[in-house]
Amino acid sequence: LFHTLTNADSTNRGRSHNFGENDSQQIGGSLLWRQRLGKPGRTLSIRLNYDYSNNDLTGFNKSETFYFADHVIDSTAIIDQKYLKNEKSNSIGGRMSYTEPLGKNFFVEAAYRYNYRKTNSDKDTYNKMNGEYSVLDQEYTTHYENVFITQQAELNFKKQEEKYNLTVGASMQPSTTKSLGRGRDTTYSIINFAPAARFDYRFSDSKFLRAT
Protein backbone atom coordinates (compact mmCIF):
# COMPACT_ATOMS: atom_id res chain seq x y z
CA LEU A 1 0.00 0.00 0.00
CA PHE A 2 1.63 3.24 -1.16
CA HIS A 3 0.52 6.80 -0.41
CA THR A 4 1.84 10.15 -1.59
CA LEU A 5 0.59 13.11 0.46
CA THR A 6 0.60 16.76 -0.56
CA ASN A 7 -1.24 19.89 0.44
CA ALA A 8 -2.14 23.08 -1.40
CA ASP A 9 0.17 25.48 0.46
CA SER A 10 3.23 23.19 0.02
CA THR A 11 4.20 23.23 3.68
CA ASN A 12 4.88 19.49 3.62
CA ARG A 13 4.92 16.51 1.34
CA GLY A 14 5.30 12.84 2.15
CA ARG A 15 4.89 9.24 1.26
CA SER A 16 4.24 6.08 3.25
CA HIS A 17 4.49 2.35 2.68
CA ASN A 18 2.65 -0.14 4.91
CA PHE A 19 2.55 -3.90 4.47
CA GLY A 20 2.26 -7.01 6.62
CA GLU A 21 1.60 -10.72 6.94
CA ASN A 22 -1.33 -12.14 8.86
CA ASP A 23 -1.99 -15.59 10.38
CA SER A 24 -5.26 -16.39 12.16
CA GLN A 25 -7.08 -19.37 13.69
CA GLN A 26 -10.66 -19.69 14.91
CA ILE A 27 -12.64 -22.50 16.54
CA GLY A 28 -16.02 -22.75 18.19
CA GLY A 29 -18.79 -25.10 19.14
CA SER A 30 -22.06 -25.54 21.01
CA LEU A 31 -23.83 -28.23 23.02
CA LEU A 32 -27.58 -28.52 23.62
CA TRP A 33 -29.26 -30.76 26.21
CA ARG A 34 -33.04 -30.91 26.57
CA GLN A 35 -34.99 -33.11 29.01
CA ARG A 36 -38.70 -33.70 29.59
CA LEU A 37 -39.62 -33.76 33.27
CA GLY A 38 -42.62 -36.06 33.51
CA LYS A 39 -45.61 -33.79 32.90
CA PRO A 40 -46.28 -33.03 29.20
CA GLY A 41 -44.86 -29.60 28.35
CA ARG A 42 -42.54 -29.48 31.37
CA THR A 43 -38.97 -29.29 30.06
CA LEU A 44 -35.47 -28.24 31.08
CA SER A 45 -32.90 -27.25 28.45
CA ILE A 46 -29.27 -26.17 28.68
CA ARG A 47 -27.14 -24.77 25.84
CA LEU A 48 -23.37 -24.14 26.11
CA ASN A 49 -21.26 -22.17 23.61
CA TYR A 50 -17.51 -21.67 23.22
CA ASP A 51 -15.50 -19.59 20.71
CA TYR A 52 -11.75 -18.98 20.42
CA SER A 53 -9.77 -16.89 17.96
CA ASN A 54 -6.09 -16.04 17.61
CA ASN A 55 -4.61 -13.54 15.18
CA ASP A 56 -0.89 -12.83 14.60
CA LEU A 57 0.28 -9.94 12.45
CA THR A 58 3.81 -8.96 11.44
CA GLY A 59 3.85 -5.57 9.73
CA PHE A 60 6.09 -2.75 8.59
CA ASN A 61 5.43 0.98 8.64
CA LYS A 62 7.68 3.20 6.56
CA SER A 63 7.16 6.88 5.83
CA GLU A 64 9.11 9.91 4.71
CA THR A 65 7.83 13.46 5.25
CA PHE A 66 9.45 16.63 3.89
CA TYR A 67 8.71 20.00 5.54
CA PHE A 68 9.10 23.18 3.51
CA ALA A 69 10.05 26.74 4.43
CA ASP A 70 9.94 29.34 1.64
CA HIS A 71 9.44 26.52 -0.89
CA VAL A 72 12.68 24.81 0.19
CA ILE A 73 12.98 21.60 2.18
CA ASP A 74 13.66 22.67 5.76
CA SER A 75 13.55 19.26 7.51
CA THR A 76 12.78 15.59 6.94
CA ALA A 77 11.05 13.07 9.24
CA ILE A 78 11.65 9.37 8.54
CA ILE A 79 9.83 6.47 10.19
CA ASP A 80 10.97 2.89 9.65
CA GLN A 81 9.22 0.47 12.02
CA LYS A 82 8.39 -3.19 12.41
CA TYR A 83 5.49 -4.25 14.63
CA LEU A 84 4.36 -7.58 16.00
CA LYS A 85 0.70 -7.76 16.98
CA ASN A 86 -1.20 -10.60 18.63
CA GLU A 87 -4.90 -10.60 19.47
CA LYS A 88 -6.61 -13.45 21.32
CA SER A 89 -10.29 -13.76 22.14
CA ASN A 90 -12.08 -16.34 24.30
CA SER A 91 -15.83 -16.48 24.72
CA ILE A 92 -17.86 -18.92 26.79
CA GLY A 93 -21.54 -18.78 27.57
CA GLY A 94 -24.70 -20.67 28.17
CA ARG A 95 -28.46 -20.50 28.53
CA MET A 96 -30.69 -22.54 30.84
CA SER A 97 -34.47 -22.51 30.54
CA TYR A 98 -37.33 -24.19 32.37
CA THR A 99 -40.82 -24.47 30.91
CA GLU A 100 -43.92 -25.24 32.99
CA PRO A 101 -47.42 -25.83 31.54
CA LEU A 102 -50.15 -23.67 33.12
CA GLY A 103 -53.14 -24.95 31.18
CA LYS A 104 -54.23 -26.01 27.72
CA ASN A 105 -51.53 -24.78 25.29
CA PHE A 106 -50.43 -22.19 27.86
CA PHE A 107 -46.89 -22.16 29.30
CA VAL A 108 -44.52 -20.09 31.39
CA GLU A 109 -40.78 -20.08 30.72
CA ALA A 110 -38.01 -18.91 33.05
CA ALA A 111 -34.55 -18.58 31.54
CA TYR A 112 -31.08 -17.38 32.47
CA ARG A 113 -28.26 -16.52 30.05
CA TYR A 114 -24.57 -15.84 30.83
CA ASN A 115 -21.72 -14.89 28.49
CA TYR A 116 -18.07 -14.14 29.27
CA ARG A 117 -15.72 -12.71 26.63
CA LYS A 118 -12.05 -11.82 27.14
CA THR A 119 -9.85 -10.15 24.54
CA ASN A 120 -6.10 -9.53 24.80
CA SER A 121 -4.33 -7.30 22.29
CA ASP A 122 -0.52 -6.91 22.39
CA LYS A 123 1.44 -4.80 19.92
CA ASP A 124 5.23 -4.34 20.12
CA THR A 125 6.74 -1.77 17.75
CA TYR A 126 10.45 -1.52 16.97
CA ASN A 127 12.44 1.22 15.25
CA LYS A 128 15.25 0.34 12.88
CA MET A 129 18.82 0.95 14.02
CA ASN A 130 22.05 -0.29 12.42
CA GLY A 131 20.07 -2.39 9.95
CA GLU A 132 18.02 -4.17 12.63
CA TYR A 133 14.58 -3.52 14.14
CA SER A 134 15.86 -3.60 17.71
CA VAL A 135 14.73 -0.41 19.48
CA LEU A 136 11.36 -0.66 21.21
CA ASP A 137 9.15 2.38 20.51
CA GLN A 138 7.08 2.93 23.65
CA GLU A 139 4.74 5.41 21.97
CA TYR A 140 3.56 2.89 19.38
CA THR A 141 3.62 -0.14 21.70
CA THR A 142 0.30 -1.08 23.30
CA HIS A 143 -1.04 -3.82 25.55
CA TYR A 144 -4.77 -4.05 26.25
CA GLU A 145 -7.10 -6.44 28.03
CA ASN A 146 -10.87 -6.27 27.82
CA VAL A 147 -13.40 -8.41 29.71
CA PHE A 148 -17.09 -8.18 28.82
CA ILE A 149 -19.69 -10.06 30.90
CA THR A 150 -23.39 -10.12 30.05
CA GLN A 151 -26.28 -11.78 31.86
CA GLN A 152 -29.97 -12.03 31.11
CA ALA A 153 -32.86 -13.26 33.25
CA GLU A 154 -36.14 -13.79 31.40
CA LEU A 155 -39.73 -14.61 32.26
CA ASN A 156 -42.07 -15.35 29.35
CA PHE A 157 -45.70 -16.45 29.05
CA LYS A 158 -46.57 -18.39 25.91
CA LYS A 159 -49.83 -19.32 24.23
CA GLN A 160 -49.48 -21.90 21.44
CA GLU A 161 -52.38 -22.70 19.14
CA GLU A 162 -52.67 -24.36 15.74
CA LYS A 163 -52.90 -21.07 13.86
CA TYR A 164 -50.98 -18.70 16.12
CA ASN A 165 -48.35 -18.37 18.86
CA LEU A 166 -48.23 -15.50 21.34
CA THR A 167 -45.32 -14.70 23.71
CA VAL A 168 -45.30 -11.88 26.29
CA GLY A 169 -42.52 -11.38 28.81
CA ALA A 170 -39.74 -9.25 30.23
CA SER A 171 -36.02 -9.52 30.88
CA MET A 172 -33.33 -8.00 33.09
CA GLN A 173 -29.90 -7.62 31.46
CA PRO A 174 -26.91 -6.66 33.66
CA SER A 175 -23.52 -6.25 31.96
CA THR A 176 -19.98 -5.37 33.08
CA THR A 177 -16.99 -4.15 31.08
CA LYS A 178 -13.39 -4.06 32.32
CA SER A 179 -10.59 -2.52 30.25
CA LEU A 180 -6.92 -2.49 31.23
CA GLY A 181 -3.99 -0.88 29.42
CA ARG A 182 -1.76 2.22 29.13
CA GLY A 183 -2.86 3.60 32.48
CA ARG A 184 -6.49 3.94 31.40
CA ASP A 185 -8.04 1.17 33.47
CA THR A 186 -11.82 1.40 33.53
CA THR A 187 -14.69 -0.67 34.88
CA TYR A 188 -18.39 0.08 34.48
CA SER A 189 -21.63 -1.82 34.89
CA ILE A 190 -25.17 -1.23 33.67
CA ILE A 191 -28.56 -2.94 34.07
CA ASN A 192 -31.22 -2.84 31.38
CA PHE A 193 -34.86 -3.86 31.70
CA ALA A 194 -36.73 -4.79 28.55
CA PRO A 195 -40.33 -5.93 27.90
CA ALA A 196 -40.85 -8.30 24.96
CA ALA A 197 -43.78 -9.53 22.88
CA ARG A 198 -44.09 -11.65 19.75
CA PHE A 199 -47.12 -12.76 17.75
CA ASP A 200 -46.97 -15.35 14.95
CA TYR A 201 -49.97 -16.18 12.79
CA ARG A 202 -49.85 -18.92 10.15
CA PHE A 203 -52.20 -18.48 7.17
CA SER A 204 -50.82 -21.54 5.36
CA ASP A 205 -47.66 -23.63 5.11
CA SER A 206 -46.04 -20.91 2.98
CA LYS A 207 -47.58 -17.73 4.44
CA PHE A 208 -47.31 -16.38 7.97
CA LEU A 209 -47.30 -13.08 9.84
CA ARG A 210 -44.88 -12.16 12.62
CA ALA A 211 -45.10 -9.06 14.80
CA THR A 212 -42.62 -8.14 17.57
Side-chain angles (χ1 to χ4, degrees):
L1 182 62
F2 185 81
H3 302 283
T4 299
L5 306 174
T6 62
N7 60 10
D9 58 7
S10 299
T11 59
N12 63 75
R13 180 179 300 165
R15 57 189 178 186
S16 63
H17 188 199
N18 301 280
F19 58 97
E21 186 175 294
N22 190 72
D23 182 26
S24 62
Q25 305 88 39
Q26 187 171 1
I27 189 173
S30 63
L31 175 66
L32 174 63
W33 177 80
R34 180 180 289 119
Q35 179 67 46
R36 287 186 175 182
L37 302 175
K39 188 177 180 179
R42 179 183 292 164
T43 59
L44 176 68
S45 65
I46 299 175
R47 178 186 292 274
L48 300 175
N49 302 285
Y50 177 73
D51 291 288
Y52 169 81
S53 65
N54 180 67
N55 186 69
D56 289 299
L57 173 64
T58 300
F60 295 87
N61 176 32
K62 299 182 179 182
S63 68
E64 198 173 25
T65 305
F66 304 97
Y67 297 93
F68 292 86
D70 297 327
H71 306 290
V72 178
I73 296 177
D74 180 66
S75 61
T76 303
I78 297 175
I79 294 177
D80 190 351
Q81 297 175 328
K82 176 183 179 180
Y83 56 89
L84 307 173
K85 185 175 181 180
N86 173 261
E87 186 169 286
K88 288 186 175 72
S89 178
N90 287 277
S91 177
I92 185 169
R95 183 180 188 271
M96 180 173 65
S97 66
Y98 174 79
T99 303
E100 176 70 20
L102 298 179
K104 184 179 178 181
N105 300 327
F106 186 42
F107 306 88
V108 61
E109 178 195 43
Y112 173 73
R113 187 194 309 270
Y114 178 89
N115 190 75
Y116 173 93
R117 183 179 183 87
K118 181 179 180 180
T119 302
N120 290 92
S121 180
D122 299 314
K123 180 182 179 183
D124 294 321
T125 304
Y126 298 90
N127 292 318
K128 194 172 187 178
M129 178 173 287
N130 299 325
E132 300 288 338
Y133 293 97
S134 57
V135 181
L136 184 67
D137 192 321
Q138 295 288 351
E139 183 178 355
Y140 290 91
T141 294
T142 58
H143 299 279
Y144 290 106
E145 178 180 290
N146 180 267
V147 175
F148 185 50
I149 299 173
T150 59
Q151 302 177 74
Q152 182 171 318
E154 306 172 47
L155 185 65
N156 300 304
F157 294 90
K158 300 181 178 183
K159 181 68 172 176
Q160 298 178 345
E161 297 291 348
E162 182 179 353
K163 284 289 187 179
Y164 71 88
N165 294 328
L166 175 64
T167 301
V168 178
S171 65
M172 180 179 67
Q173 305 164 4
S175 63
T176 302
T177 300
K178 298 179 181 179
S179 299
L180 309 175
R182 305 257 328 190
R184 294 191 290 267
D185 301 351
T186 59
T187 300
Y188 63 89
S189 300
I190 60 173
I191 299 179
N192 292 319
F193 296 90
R198 191 177 80 180
F199 177 73
D200 296 321
Y201 189 87
R202 184 173 296 278
F203 297 97
S204 66
D205 291 340
S206 59
K207 294 181 180 180
F208 71 93
L209 171 70
R210 171 171 293 176
T212 59

